Amino acid sequence: MTETLADWVVTIRGSDIAPDVRREGLRTFVNWAGCAVGGASHETVDRALAAVTPFSGKPTSTVLGRHEKLDALHAALLNGITSHVLDYDDTHLKTIIHPAGPVASALLALAEMRPISGYDILTALIVGIEVECRIGNSVYPHHYDRGWHITGTAGVFGAAAAVGKVIGLNAQQMRWAFGLAATQASGLREMFGTMTKSFHPGRAAQNGMFAALLAEADFDSSERAIEAPRGFANVTSEKQDYSEILDDLGTRWESALNSYKPFACGIVIHPTIDGCIQLRDELGEEKIRHIRSVELTAHPLVLELTGKTAPKTGLEGKFSVYHAAAAALLKGDGAPTAFTDEIVRNPEIIALRDRIKATADKTCHEASVDILLTFDDGTTAAKRVERAIGSKEVPLTDAQINHKFTVQSALVVGESVTKALLETSWKLEELKDAAEVARASVPVSTAKTAAAE
Amino acid sequence: MTETLADWVVTIRGSDIAPDVRREGLRTFVNWAGCAVGGASHETVDRALAAVTPFSGKPTSTVLGRHEKLDALHAALLNGITSHVLDYDDTHLKTIIHPAGPVASALLALAEMRPISGYDILTALIVGIEVECRIGNSVYPHHYDRGWHITGTAGVFGAAAAVGKVIGLNAQQMRWAFGLAATQASGLREMFGTMTKSFHPGRAAQNGMFAALLAEADFDSSERAIEAPRGFANVTSEKQDYSEILDDLGTRWESALNSYKPFACGIVIHPTIDGCIQLRDELGEEKIRHIRSVELTAHPLVLELTGKTAPKTGLEGKFSVYHAAAAALLKGDGAPTAFTDEIVRNPEIIALRDRIKATADKTCHEASVDILLTFDDGTTAAKRVERAIGSKEVPLTDAQINHKFTVQSALVVGESVTKALLETSWKLEELKDAAEVARASVPVSTAKTAAAE
């Protein structure tokens, strides 16, 4: 098992990966870069930086979207944190793994220390995500139900595989890297709701990279760490389905099933935001100003998780379907800009929010919503959303990924840096030196936000 | 649970700890320092250093027994590795935790970055070991049986508590530090037999220190990480006995139950080595030269684990009760010096080894042995060892700890450095700056071994 997987990782070439799979990998990379910059000014990141800076080695590698540089291991940690801190990153829906954070954060940080081409980075990203999601599949759902944050525990294998691939480990070293990854696999779901949640993909990136670097120095380890009786799968799960790891390896791609969140909040409000933005686009801004009332009909879970009627902060706004609907209707927005303290306290938003009623209906699918607008003149407009954008059924278009990227990144590094970074990210495969992406993310001024532009 | 434990850690003062408990803590510290220096020239350490050096921050902290310095987090990792790599360190017999490695390695590395008195280091060491062993007790044996290397998984809590104590975390920060420790708790028993085994106490030291440093920067986390439904105890064990954590906290001391290995090999051969050295001491060297044959009678487990009749390397010698008995009789030695390649290939040792017979006897206790020597003149001498030195029943004396320290340390840093280091270690509580211990461990020449002296 471990042996077969390690052999596959060291032997696969970039040209063995079909163009559509590489394309999805590129979309994953672009989405990740936007999220990493989007989260870069978060308080969680400031605190992590305060703790690690006195211990950082040679500052080779960029904390994306910031001026600080750290050694590659610490930069991997920080970029893993930033990319997840807004809960706005990518999702492998079968396992709820957020795949890019652990893998891409490790690769790009390393690329600033040891030059790696963009083509090779993309190959390693896809291979790392494939390893991560397949190992996740082999133990999901029992592993997750027991309380493991699978993005951390499976992510460390993905980072080890990806870094091991680009630094050219041989098969035995790759088996050792998996051993060193397995023995560092950790992250508890108890941490959800705290800063430590986003620590998990960061630490998985850092630990996975470290596993590969130790193996490179011939630091030896178990060569069957995934399947051994006291190995990863048996110790952390009652389910072990190794066919999930080996079947159709190299032909069926889990990495191509990645999805990207269109809105910066819990997935249960996504249909409402999607429908409200569609209504605004169809009816025009002027018409929206004459809304008398809004009726939402959704599954009871939606109200249970996001039923806050009078949110006071941006964070609380993420748990209010009322605020989210009002912001989507008035501003056409579901990005982090729709969940700032300022927007949540905006009188116009509050006025509309208070005219929204939500009804729980068990017959409504969790991923669907019915929206009915009634205008001052008594006319109405209705919208049913079966599945929101960002779902498996309605994947984000490249243009929507660009929009998501631009809105969140511009808030942190301004519009001109964002534009250049977005272009560089899409050109990844053509870059002789992938580190160009990291360099392109650095804000031009010392200010953290676009306000200074 | 987590709250009570955190409160205890932040409020306890050094003077609350009884003198005999502090004394055992000091013996633990001295034994640890000797083991860390003793393991410092091992190949495992060279490889780890090769991997981490390019990433090290400001080199504030000594790798004990070597010239290299690293940032405090990496030094904690390396000293945790060195102290365990010869399998010669301390043992909390109830849980098989090797307590000092994770805790002392973190503390001393930090003391070279932020001055800490020896008195405070000893207090924090005892508190950290107490936390580590009590958390271990609460989940042992199920946690260990499932496959967790408990020195790693419980050790990270000990390191977090100890470092949190010396840097003065408040109670909330200490709860966060436990959360950050819990979410990094890892280490699989599958790694036994590889370099990655000694990685575990090292990584526990580094991760626990990092947990405390993040908490100091107000990086928040769960405040009930030990007992929460998706917290450490429930996720990693089917047994959770929290009375083991809280009962008699501050009056009954697990840390005072620590034991120290007298011989550098698996515990099952210890009675044989102990008995053979006693016979040599009683009969004199000259008499030993006239041994015709040796009969050992021991529990079958002894032969199962250490039945190699013709070992070829030092490492194989650790799995040969025949070699161990011969070296003990001829050299009076069970230290690492008795398990070098050279000694295992010594013709005189081999000649005696080949005249040793071992018989398995189920009625013999696992911790006992019967030894019968027959001399050339037909006379005999017998020795029954009920319990070997180093066991709970026959603890090592201070003089034996000094002997153990001296023999292994002198091999690495020479006799004069060893003598000074041993003296400094015993004076820990009087040191204004505990870092003196680390500085005293550095070899005077650039050579790694005493050969250069």
Side-chain angles (χ1 to χ4, degrees):
Chain A
M1 169 70 45
T2 301
E3 189 183 345
T4 309
L5 194 63
D7 284 347
W8 180 75
V9 171
V10 299
T11 53
I12 190 171
R13 292 160 307 177
S15 56
D16 296 333
I17 302 171
D20 61 321
V21 176
R22 289 192 74 87
R23 181 71 194 173
E24 200 60 51
L26 184 59
R27 283 159 50 90
T28 293
F29 180 80
V30 172
N31 180 71
W32 167 81
C35 291
V37 173
S41 61
H42 198 277
E43 192 178 20
T44 300
V45 185
D46 295 332
R47 295 186 187 182
L49 266 171
V52 308
T53 302
F55 299 89
S56 176
K58 205 176 155 203
T60 55
S61 305
T62 307
V63 180
L64 265 64
R66 299 185 65 120
H67 292 281
E68 290 92 344
K69 286 185 159 208
L70 300 168
D71 68 75
L73 281 166
H74 279 120
L77 168 67
L78 266 289
N79 290 330
I81 292 175
T82 59
S83 70
H84 190 58
V85 73
L86 298 178
D87 281 315
Y88 196 29
D89 47 359
D90 53 337
T91 309
H92 176 251
L93 293 165
K94 278 195 212 171
T95 55
I96 340 181
I97 289 173
H98 304 291
V103 184
S105 305
L107 284 170
L108 197 59
L110 186 70
E112 289 189 89
M113 184 191 189
R114 304 186 185 183
I116 311 166
S117 75
Y119 184 87
D120 288 347
I121 286 274
L122 186 61
T123 300
L125 176 65
I126 293 166
V127 168
I129 289 179
E130 194 64 24
V131 165
E132 176 183 20
C133 292
R134 281 174 173 263
I135 290 177
N137 283 343
S138 76
V139 294
Y140 187 89
H142 184 273
H143 174 85
Y144 188 80
D145 291 344
R146 189 184 271 174
W148 294 108
H149 187 193
I150 194 166
T151 296
T153 53
V156 67
F157 290 96
V163 171
K165 177 80 187 158
V166 292
I167 66 178
L169 296 187
N170 63 35
Q172 182 176 52
Q173 290 170 326
M174 187 63 81
R175 296 195 289 274
W176 291 339
F178 283 142
L180 283 151
T183 217
Q184 296 180 84
S186 63
L188 300 170
R189 284 174 62 195
E190 166 62 16
M191 305 302 147
F192 286 12
T194 76
M195 292 179 174
T196 303
K197 182 180 186 235
S198 52
F199 179 74
H200 295 160
R203 201 62 166 166
Q206 183 184 22
N207 287 348
M209 187 196 295
F210 193 37
L213 292 165
L214 282 164
E216 185 186 34
D218 288 331
F219 194 96
D220 71 25
S221 189
S222 164
E223 300 191 29
R224 46 197 292 272
I226 299 170
E227 72 277 18
R230 286 170 182 153
F232 170 78
N234 284 299
V235 172
T236 68
S237 177
E238 271 159 34
K239 176 195 161 189
Q240 301 89 25
D241 182 353
Y242 300 125
S243 69
E244 292 282 4
I245 297 181
L246 296 185
D247 283 3
D248 309 319
L249 191 58
T251 53
R252 179 175 56 76
W253 290 90
E254 291 298 312
S255 69
L257 303 178
N258 208 2
S259 70
Y260 316 100
K261 263 193 188 176
F263 309 123
C265 56
I267 212 157
V268 292
I269 325 187
H270 289 200
T272 299
I273 298 173
D274 186 5
C276 287
I277 292 176
Q278 286 185 47
L279 281 165
R280 173 192 160 90
D281 289 348
E282 289 161 18
L283 300 166
E285 260 188 88
E286 182 52 31
K287 185 82 179 168
I288 297 295
R289 296 189 194 283
H290 297 284
I291 290 175
R292 185 198 294 161
S293 65
V294 180
E295 284 174 60
L296 306 173
T297 308
H299 188 272
L301 188 71
V302 177
L303 292 182
E304 195 183 299
L305 295 175
T306 62
K308 268 191 198 300
T309 52
K312 299 212 163 9
T313 64
L315 186 59
E316 287 184 0
K318 294 189 178 202
F319 299 93
S320 171
V321 69
Y322 309 99
H323 167 75
L329 286 165
L330 276 172
K331 307 282 181 185
D333 195 7
T337 38
F339 299 100
T340 63
D341 291 351
E342 203 186 335
I343 287 288
V344 167
R345 293 168 191 156
N346 177 309
E348 203 190 356
I349 297 273
I350 293 174
L352 179 55
R353 183 187 82 195
D354 291 346
R355 294 200 299 277
I356 299 174
K357 210 179 75 181
T359 307
D361 178 354
K362 276 188 189 170
T363 66
C364 186
H365 190 280
E366 282 175 30
S368 304
V369 73
D370 275 298
I371 305 168
L372 179 67
L373 309 183
T374 304
F375 299 96
D376 293 336
D377 60 7
T379 60
T380 62
K383 171 70 67 180
R384 173 167 184 83
V385 177
E386 286 293 342
R387 293 295 180 272
I389 55 166
S391 66
K392 197 177 137 200
E393 294 85 356
V394 193
L396 256 63
T397 63
D398 290 355
Q400 286 166 332
I401 287 177
N402 287 344
H403 177 72
K404 172 183 173 181
F405 186 117
T406 301
V407 171
Q408 63 173 328
S409 170
L411 270 182
V412 178
V413 294
E415 285 182 15
S416 59
V417 169
T418 295
K419 190 161 175 284
L421 174 62
L422 182 59
E423 278 173 23
T424 309
S425 300
W426 278 116
K427 280 194 308 193
L428 178 66
E429 282 187 286
E430 299 154 37
L431 300 178
K432 210 171 149 183
D433 178 2
E436 274 188 47
V437 176
R439 289 193 289 266
S441 80
V442 179
V444 285
S445 72
T446 53
K448 277 184 198 161
T449 71
E453 281 211 335
Chain B
M1 169 72 41
T2 302
E3 188 182 345
T4 308
L5 195 64
D7 284 347
W8 180 75
V9 172
V10 299
T11 54
I12 190 171
R13 292 161 308 176
S15 55
D16 296 333
I17 301 171
D20 62 321
V21 177
R22 290 192 73 88
R23 180 73 194 172
E24 200 59 53
L26 184 59
R27 283 159 50 90
T28 293
F29 181 79
V30 172
N31 180 71
W32 167 80
C35 291
V37 173
S41 61
H42 198 279
E43 193 179 20
T44 300
V45 185
D46 295 333
R47 294 186 188 183
L49 266 171
V52 308
T53 302
F55 298 91
S56 175
K58 206 176 153 200
T60 55
S61 304
T62 307
V63 180
L64 264 64
R66 299 185 66 120
H67 293 280
E68 290 92 344
K69 287 186 159 206
L70 300 167
D71 68 75
L73 282 166
H74 279 119
L77 169 67
L78 266 289
N79 290 330
I81 291 175
T82 59
S83 69
H84 190 60
V85 72
L86 298 178
D87 280 316
Y88 196 29
D89 48 358
D90 54 337
T91 309
H92 177 250
L93 294 164
K94 279 195 214 172
T95 54
I96 340 180
I97 289 173
H98 305 291
V103 185
S105 306
L107 284 170
L108 197 59
L110 186 69
E112 290 189 89
M113 184 190 189
R114 305 186 185 183
I116 310 168
S117 75
Y119 184 87
D120 287 347
I121 286 274
L122 186 61
T123 301
L125 176 65
I126 294 166
V127 168
I129 289 179
E130 194 63 26
V131 165
E132 177 183 18
C133 292
R134 282 174 173 262
I135 290 176
N137 284 341
S138 75
V139 293
Y140 187 88
H142 184 273
H143 174 85
Y144 188 79
D145 292 343
R146 187 184 271 174
W148 293 108
H149 186 193
I150 193 166
T151 296
T153 53
V156 67
F157 290 97
V163 171
K165 177 80 186 158
V166 293
I167 66 178
L169 296 188
N170 63 35
Q172 182 176 51
Q173 289 170 326
M174 187 63 81
R175 297 195 289 275
W176 291 340
F178 282 141
L180 283 150
T183 217
Q184 296 181 84
S186 62
L188 299 171
R189 285 174 62 196
E190 166 62 16
M191 305 303 146
F192 287 11
T194 75
M195 292 180 174
T196 304
K197 181 179 186 237
S198 52
F199 179 74
H200 295 161
R203 201 63 167 166
Q206 184 184 22
N207 288 347
M209 187 195 295
F210 193 37
L213 293 165
L214 282 164
E216 186 186 33
D218 288 330
F219 194 96
D220 71 25
S221 188
S222 164
E223 299 192 29
R224 45 197 294 271
I226 300 170
E227 73 277 19
R230 286 170 181 152
F232 170 78
N234 284 298
V235 172
T236 68
S237 177
E238 271 158 35
K239 175 193 160 191
Q240 301 89 23
D241 181 354
Y242 300 125
S243 68
E244 293 280 5
I245 298 182
L246 296 186
D247 282 5
D248 309 319
L249 191 59
T251 53
R252 179 174 57 75
W253 290 90
E254 292 298 312
S255 69
L257 304 177
N258 207 4
S259 70
Y260 316 100
K261 263 193 186 176
F263 308 122
C265 55
I267 212 157
V268 292
I269 325 188
H270 289 201
T272 299
I273 299 173
D274 186 5
C276 288
I277 292 175
Q278 286 185 49
L279 281 164
R280 174 193 161 91
D281 288 348
E282 288 161 17
L283 300 166
E285 259 189 87
E286 182 50 32
K287 186 82 179 167
I288 297 295
R289 296 189 193 283
H290 297 284
I291 291 175
R292 185 198 292 163
S293 66
V294 180
E295 286 174 59
L296 306 173
T297 308
H299 188 273
L301 188 70
V302 177
L303 292 181
E304 196 182 299
L305 294 176
T306 62
K308 268 190 198 301
T309 51
K312 300 214 164 6
T313 65
L315 185 60
E316 286 184 1
K318 295 190 180 203
F319 298 92
S320 170
V321 70
Y322 310 100
H323 167 75
L329 286 165
L330 276 173
K331 306 283 180 187
D333 195 8
T337 38
F339 300 100
T340 63
D341 291 351
E342 203 184 336
I343 288 287
V344 167
R345 292 168 191 157
N346 177 308
E348 203 191 353
I349 297 271
I350 292 174
L352 179 55
R353 184 188 80 194
D354 291 346
R355 296 201 298 277
I356 298 175
K357 209 180 75 181
T359 308
D361 179 353
K362 276 189 190 170
T363 67
C364 187
H365 190 280
E366 284 175 28
S368 304
V369 73
D370 276 298
I371 305 169
L372 178 67
L373 308 183
T374 304
F375 299 96
D376 293 337
D377 61 7
T379 61
T380 62
K383 172 69 70 182
R384 175 169 182 79
V385 177
E386 286 293 340
R387 293 294 180 274
I389 55 165
S391 65
K392 196 177 136 200
E393 294 84 356
V394 194
L396 256 63
T397 62
D398 289 355
Q400 286 166 332
I401 287 177
N402 287 343
H403 177 73
K404 172 183 173 182
F405 187 115
T406 301
V407 172
Q408 64 174 328
S409 171
L411 271 181
V412 178
V413 295
E415 285 181 16
S416 59
V417 168
T418 294
K419 190 160 175 284
L421 174 63
L422 182 59
E423 278 174 22
T424 309
S425 299
W426 278 115
K427 281 194 308 192
L428 178 66
E429 282 187 287
E430 300 154 37
L431 300 178
K432 211 170 147 182
D433 179 1
E436 275 188 45
V437 177
R439 289 192 290 266
S441 80
V442 179
V444 285
S445 72
T446 54
K448 275 184 199 164
T449 71
E453 283 210 332

